[in-house]
Amino acid sequence: MLNGRFQLQNANACAVILAGGFGTRIRELYPALPKPMVPAAGAPFIEWVVRYLAAQGVRRSVISLGHLAHVAETYFVKRPADDCQITTLREPAPLGTGGAVLFAARLAADGDPLVVTNGDSLLLANLAPVWRQWADDTIDAVVLGLEMDDASRYGRLDVDAAGRLLRFSEKQPGGGLINAGTCIFRRRVIDRFPQRTPLSLEHDVFPQLLAAGKRIMVCRCQAPFLDIGTPESVVQADGFIREHFSTRAAA
């Protein structure tokens, strides 16, 4: 459970959920669905992303859509009302992860911080340690880092002894600390993003912020994690959700 004090402190937080990718590796399995809309335990995978965020006190989300955007738009128009405020936004062209954050941030104008996460992966980390770090106003952003025995599919995080991000490293065999796809930005940092598209968070945004001396911390976590980006992992989605969520209220 979240500590209520930290939940209240970040009551103005808004999520940007990145859901615009083409899902090329699993397209043959789900040709009519964008990757975040793959079914899992009776609901689209992205629904469980929304529910996870709500459980962490982040109940406002802007979902950035691209490939087959109408599928998710139709789902969220019909989604039963609850205490979540969800807005969908269709990218005019592929913007990249950083470009999508810039594009979606305008619909979350009063949201600070912005919790950026993927619509096709889930890191079920308790965000309370992040909010504790967030009390230090000199921190500009926090990246959630997950230690993995096999990190070959993911970019790695290089950090110093204090937990400050030094750089993103390329994919390589073996274990390591990975970027699990969730990061938190202060609103003031969004204005420092390069103003071009397509724009990558890992390859464009973070290197520029680091070069400008921005203080970006890595919060290490041990938590269940699933990325449904491959044929081997997407088939795990149903079991993953049933193990970690109550599915009785699935749509």
Side-chain angles (χ1 to χ4, degrees), residues 34-211:
K35 190 165 44 170
M37 294 299 293
V38 166
F45 189 83
I46 197 171
E47 170 68 26
W48 303 106
V49 177
V50 169
R51 295 190 193 189
Y52 157 71
L53 289 167
Q56 298 299 311
V58 183
R59 295 185 173 85
R60 295 191 301 149
S61 297
V62 179
I63 303 176
S64 185
L65 302 171
H67 177 61
L68 297 175
H70 66 280
V71 178
E73 289 169 342
T74 299
Y75 172 80
F76 283 105
V77 165
K78 297 179 178 180
R79 184 180 185 271
D82 56 13
D83 61 351
C84 294
Q85 179 185 328
I86 302 169
T87 305
T88 59
L89 182 65
R90 188 182 295 204
E91 299 175 20
L95 301 177
T97 51
V101 173
L102 268 178
F103 188 58
R106 63 190 180 89
L107 289 188
D110 61 341
D112 194 358
L114 287 181
V115 180
V116 177
T117 194
N118 295 321
D120 58 1
S121 65
L122 257 174
L123 175 67
L124 299 177
N126 188 336
L127 294 183
V130 175
W131 300 145
R132 283 192 284 271
Q133 283 185 300
W134 208 250
D136 181 351
D137 189 62
T138 67
I139 293 176
D140 295 296
V142 175
V143 178
L144 269 65
L146 179 67
E147 199 77 46
M148 295 191 73
D149 294 333
D150 179 7
S152 57
R153 281 181 55 198
Y154 307 96
R156 300 177 187 231
L157 303 173
D158 291 340
V159 301
D160 66 14
R164 186 165 180 167
L165 179 66
L166 299 176
R167 68 188 65 84
F168 282 87
S169 296
E170 295 299 321
K171 300 174 183 178
Q172 54 186 299
L177 185 68
I178 72 160
N179 169 24
T182 299
C183 47
I184 297 90
F185 293 100
R186 294 197 193 273
R187 170 63 61 169
R188 69 190 184 220
V189 176
I190 304 297
D191 297 334
R192 298 297 300 267
F193 281 24
Q195 300 295 308
R196 64 176 185 273
T197 56
L199 186 69
S200 163
L201 284 174
E202 288 192 3
H203 297 116
D204 300 316
V205 173
F206 279 111
Q208 178 160 317
L209 294 178
L210 291 170

